[in-house]
């Protein structure tokens, strides 16, 4: 056997072979790849082959392999020793892929102009395109043309067209000029150039863009997956789903990316059934199903509430058992967690979450949101504490969850903790914090947040503006709420609803109706919430005929079918106006079985009107539907007590005790000196309770001189009159008002919040109190606001 040629046994040849083999072994772990690369680097150094004029390819290949590894600085050092265009091209591509555009351009600049070639120009133009920098890409392309010695190729035009898609005010004329350059230099036949042209035309806002893109498509002798995908995605972005489907049906070949693009287009357009039908065609046609397919379809089913369809897709995944890499499995699993969470199967969602091999912040936020939406706040708190990493959405979801879970104080604590952690809240998080202020009546804190919003430039945010309107309204500052509404740059239906609700809560019924009519006149289409706020405003102001008018208008003029909450508001309106017979008649016309809220409105009306028979029947229905709701027992007991039927009232209270139902204790709170002070009925735990009682006795003497007499009928217990007077004197709202009068500066408005409805005697007492002390007093109970001033109340004694 003859010996091998000397060249084949030489060290340079062996090193070349080893470098080539290393380049082909990219499946090695990164650390092993880099270790082998450095060993070869050392061998080249010791052999004196690095930068050898006789073997330049060794240094170039070594540089390229370093750009493929994690050690870019080593590649840069090799380049600095010999700034040739080939090495520069590798470094430009590597740094552009890493998002380091300035560094990428610096390697181009380091190559002497005489040595720069077309390939190096193409790499930098592509880097500009990747970074969406159109102007410098066009300028570099022009310098390529001006060089005289260089000529653009297919790759030059592909990169240029990709960069030009990011031009500001891109027009069809710009596209036509670039198309002419393509034809002039003979690059029009390249598939990559044609695909880039189609993408460019599709970026134009003018409708002619799609026409010209279609013309390019029709003239193409060959098309690939990118061609069809670009056309479909282009039409979807323009909202022309029909044209996208038309192009899709022309596709010849099972290009899974095109199918995914079409399904995604349907999902974005809210056409879930069409997306699912296309998915079914994919399965029957044996088109490759990948993570993009499953993620799109699962997300569509979750968002549209098609839980059963989503489960069938999950079944398909289980049957196919696709071998997803972790990066591909992650979005699919996140979509599954969302599907089961929104389908009311939070425990199943948690099992999927626990089984995930890898999780990201989206995974954690998804399960966190699932627990919040399932009203399992304690579990959500556990998840939030376990989260290894949180983003702004995590904090926002948790703040909102606390608010909706009735834990507004915890929401504000979490918001303050978020800021202490140097996480910048977004406008939605501020909206959640302001909602908490509204629930707590923390007006000072809410005003501080308003100031922060302005400083951060969020005053133009609709979510923040709407939250401000609601916060000011719930804190008794209806004028401030109206001012926010007037200065908002953009108002939507939520803004109008919030302002109408604020006016209604404060007893400004006529103004609320006028605002609703103005909203309709300005072309804002009312929704079911709009009519709910209007009916509530009518309820607070006793506008029965107007309430019927808007109730009928909802169906007749806007095609909105009244729900249980609308019927409940209308029945409550009738009951409070003493028209319980009409409420009984309305009950018979409801096109569905009355719900608990409707029976509660009936029972409340019977309490006001003394209709014992209907009230007892309504209570029986409520006992079946919500046996643990304390309000039913209290309303029925009070109805019997008001009629003097003490035995029946005692029987109801005994039934309540036997069933383990506890009455929510009445409490009132007031913000004084940046602290919220809470008072219960007969409270003696507050450090200044006795001072408050003494003050109320002094004011009470003045009130009696003005004509105040305790209304003992408000105490629905069988006891002596003097005992009833003592109970009335210690009601929580009266204690909170007394504390505010003692501690707030002279002339300052006293604002008190109460968790239950204010009783008739306290209402009368605070009216006299406002006159006796010459102060405005505002009380927000569970139903509405009462503004007491000079012995009168804004509700006109109708609440």
């Amino acid at each position: 056997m003859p010996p091998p040629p000397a060249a084949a046994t030489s060290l340079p040849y062996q090193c070349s072979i080893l470098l080539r083999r290393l380049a082909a072994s990219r499946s090695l772990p990164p650390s092993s790849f880099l270790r082998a690369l450095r060993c070869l680097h050392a061998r080249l150094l010791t052999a004196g082959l690095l930068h050898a004029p006789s073997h330049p390819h060794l240094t170039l290949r070594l540089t390229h392999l370093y750009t493929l590894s994690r050690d870019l600085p080593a590649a840069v050092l090799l380049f600095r020793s010999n700034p040739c265009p080939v090495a520069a091209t590798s470094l430009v591509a590597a740094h552009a892929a890493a998002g380091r555009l300035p560094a990428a351009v610096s390697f181009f600049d380091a190559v002497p102009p005489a040595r720069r070639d077309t390939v190096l120009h193409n790499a930098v133009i592509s880097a500009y395109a990747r970074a969406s920098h159109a102007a410098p890409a066009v300028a570099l392309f022009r310098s390529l043309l001006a060089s005289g010695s260089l000529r653009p190729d297919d790759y030059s035009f592909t990169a240029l067209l990709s960069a030009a898609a990011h031009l500001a005010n891109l027009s069809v004329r710009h596209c036509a000029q670039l198309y002419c350059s393509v034809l002039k230099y003979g690059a029009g036949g390249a598939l990559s150039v044609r695909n880039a042209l189609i993408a460019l035309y599709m970026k134009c806002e003018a409708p002619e863009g799609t026409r010209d893109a279609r013309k390019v498509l029709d003239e193409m002798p060959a098309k690939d997956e990118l061609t069809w995908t670009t056309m479909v995605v282009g039409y979807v972005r323009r909202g022309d789903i029909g044209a996208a489907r038309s192009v899709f049906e022309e596709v010849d070949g099972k290009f899974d990316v095109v199918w995914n693009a079409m399904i995604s287009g349907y999902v974005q357009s809210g056409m879930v059934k069409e997306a699912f039908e296309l998915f079914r065609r994919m399965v029957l046609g044996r088109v490759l199903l990948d993570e993009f397919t499953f993620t799109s379809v699962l997300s569509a089913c979750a968002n549209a509430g098609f839980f059963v369809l989503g489960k069938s897709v999950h079944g398909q995944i289980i049957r196919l058992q696709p071998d997803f890499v972790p990066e591909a499995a992650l979005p699919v699993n996140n979509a599954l967690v969302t599907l089961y969470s929104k389908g009311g199967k939070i425990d199943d969602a948690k099992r999927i979450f626990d089984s995930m091999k890898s999780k990201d912040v989206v995974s954690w936020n998804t399960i966190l949101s699932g627990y919040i939406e399932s009203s399992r706040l304690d579990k959500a708190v556990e998840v939030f504490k376990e989260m290894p990493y949180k983003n702004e959405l995590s904090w926002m979801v948790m703040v909102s969850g606390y608010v909706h879970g009735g834990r507004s104080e915890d929401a504000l604590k979490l918001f303050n903790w978020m800021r202490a952690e140097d996480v910048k809240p977004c406008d939605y998080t501020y909206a959640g914090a302001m909602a908490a202020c509204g629930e707590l009546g923390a007006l000072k804190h809410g005003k501080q947040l308003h100031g922060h919003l302005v400083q951060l430039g969020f005053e133009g945010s609709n979510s923040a503006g709407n939250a401000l309107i609601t916060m000011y309204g719930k804190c008794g500052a209806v004028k401030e709420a109206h001012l926010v509404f007037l200065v908002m740059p953009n108002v939507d239906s939520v803004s109008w609803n919030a302002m109408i609700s604020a006016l209604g809560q404060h007893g400004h019924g006529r103004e609320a109706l006028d605002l609703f009519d103005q909203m309709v006149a300005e072309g804002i289409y009312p929704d079911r919430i709009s009519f709910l706020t209007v009916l509530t405003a009518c309820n607070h102001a006793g506008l029965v005929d107007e309430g019927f008018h808007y109730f009928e208008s909802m169906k007749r003029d806007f095609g909105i079918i009244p729900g249980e909450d609308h019927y409940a508001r209308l029945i409550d309106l009738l009951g409070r106006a003493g028209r319980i017979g009409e409420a009984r008649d309305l009950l018979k016309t409801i096109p569905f079985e009355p719900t608990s809220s409707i029976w509660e409105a009936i029972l409340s009306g019977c309490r006001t009107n003394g209709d014992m028979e209907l009230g007892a029947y309504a209570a029986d229905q409520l006992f079946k539907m919500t046996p643990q709701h304390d309000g039913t027992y209290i309303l029925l007991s009070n109805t019997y007590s008001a009629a003097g039927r003490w035995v029946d009232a005692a029987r109801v209270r005994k039934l309540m005790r036997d069933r383990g139902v506890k009455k929510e204790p009445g409490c009132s709170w007031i913000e004084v000196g940046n602290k919220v002070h809470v008072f219960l009925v007969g409270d003696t735990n507050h450090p200044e309770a006795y001072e408050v009682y003494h003050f109320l006795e002094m004011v009470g003497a003045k009130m009696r001189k003005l004509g105040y007499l305790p209304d003992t009928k408000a105490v629905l217990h069988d006891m002596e009159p003097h005992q009833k007077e003592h109970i009335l004197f210690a009601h929580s709202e009266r204690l909170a008002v007394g504390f505010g009068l003692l501690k707030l500066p002279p002339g300052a408005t006293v604002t008190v919040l109460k968790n239950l409805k204010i009783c008739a005697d306290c209402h009368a007492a605070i009216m006299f109190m406002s006159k006796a002390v010459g102060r405005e007093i505002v009380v927000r109970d569970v139903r509405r606001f009462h503004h007491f001033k000079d012995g009168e109340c804004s509700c006109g004694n109708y609440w």
Side-chain angles (χ1 to χ4, degrees), residues 330 334 359-367 387 389-394:
L330 183 59
N334 287 344
K359 303 178 180 75
D360 60 3
V361 71
V362 176
S363 317
W364 287 96
N365 286 342
T366 301
I367 195 66
M387 292 177 73
Y389 27 71
K390 304 176 180 72
N391 60 8
E392 288 181 11
L393 181 61
S394 317

Side-chain angles (χ1 to χ4, degrees), residues 227-418:
T227 314
W228 298 111
T229 305
T230 304
M231 286 297 296
V232 170
V233 170
Y235 278 122
V236 167
R237 284 176 177 166
R238 289 171 173 267
D240 193 346
I241 199 72
R245 182 57 185 260
S246 177
V247 170
F248 171 78
E249 294 298 348
E250 297 178 34
V251 177
D252 183 18
K254 297 180 179 180
F255 299 132
D256 58 295
V257 176
V258 186
W259 287 77
N260 290 341
M262 192 66 238
I263 289 175
S264 178
Y266 277 135
V267 172
Q268 292 175 35
S269 303
M271 302 169 70
V272 180
K273 291 183 179 178
E274 290 80 356
F276 196 81
E277 284 301 318
L278 204 58
F279 170 75
R280 190 171 292 167
R281 276 181 57 187
M282 283 187 79
V283 175
L284 295 174
R286 300 186 181 279
V287 180
L288 177 66
L289 305 174
D290 60 16
E291 68 272 18
F292 300 105
T293 318
F294 289 119
T295 302
S296 292
V297 176
L298 287 169
S299 299
C301 292
N303 293 333
F306 293 163
F307 179 64
V308 176
L309 287 179
K311 280 191 70 176
S312 70
V313 177
H314 189 191
Q316 189 78 12
I317 295 173
I318 294 171
R319 283 192 297 274
L320 292 174
Q321 294 185 335
D323 187 19
F324 292 135
V325 296
E327 294 79 10
L330 183 59
V332 177
N333 285 328
N334 287 344
L336 282 170
V337 173
T338 301
L339 173 74
Y340 282 93
S341 297
K342 290 191 173 182
K345 306 291 183 182
I346 186 62
D347 292 330
D348 293 332
K350 186 61 164 60
R351 277 191 286 272
I352 295 170
F353 176 82
D354 290 337
S355 69
M356 292 170 62
K357 294 179 180 178
S358 64
K359 303 178 180 75
D360 60 3
V361 71
V362 176
S363 317
W364 287 96
N365 286 342
T366 301
I367 195 66
L368 178 69
S369 300
Y371 276 126
I372 294 291
E373 291 169 5
S374 302
S375 300
R376 294 174 66 174
L377 186 56
D378 291 340
K379 284 289 186 181
V381 173
E382 291 177 11
V383 169
F384 186 78
K385 290 178 179 178
E386 292 174 13
M387 292 177 73
Y389 27 71
K390 304 176 180 72
N391 60 8
E392 288 181 11
L393 181 61
S394 317
W395 296 88
M396 185 197 76
V397 168
M398 200 62 235
V399 168
S400 299
Y402 272 132
V403 174
H404 293 301
R407 293 169 59 176
S408 295
E409 192 171 346
D410 288 327
L412 287 181
K413 288 179 181 177
L414 186 65
F415 180 81
N416 292 331
W417 177 27
M418 175 185 184

Side-chain angles (χ1 to χ4, degrees), residues 666-726:
C667 75
S668 302
W669 59 98
I670 182 171
E671 185 181 14
V672 175
N674 293 322
K675 183 179 178 182
V676 176
H677 298 261
V678 181
F679 293 87
L680 301 175
V681 178
D683 203 334
T684 57
N685 291 325
H686 192 280
E688 298 178 77
Y690 291 105
E691 186 181 352
V692 172
Y693 282 115
H694 179 65
F695 174 78
L696 288 176
E697 286 179 2
M698 292 172 51
V699 175
K702 295 181 181 179
M703 291 161 54
R704 283 183 170 85
K705 289 181 180 179
L706 293 172
Y708 166 69
L709 291 174
D711 182 7
T712 55
K713 294 193 299 296
V715 181
L716 300 174
H717 295 279
D718 190 12
M719 57 177 62
E720 294 299 319
H722 71 279
Q723 294 175 303
K724 292 185 177 183
E725 286 189 31
H726 179 73

Side-chain angles (χ1 to χ4, degrees), residues 86 484 614 731:
V86 177
V484 171
L614 181 57
H731 274 190

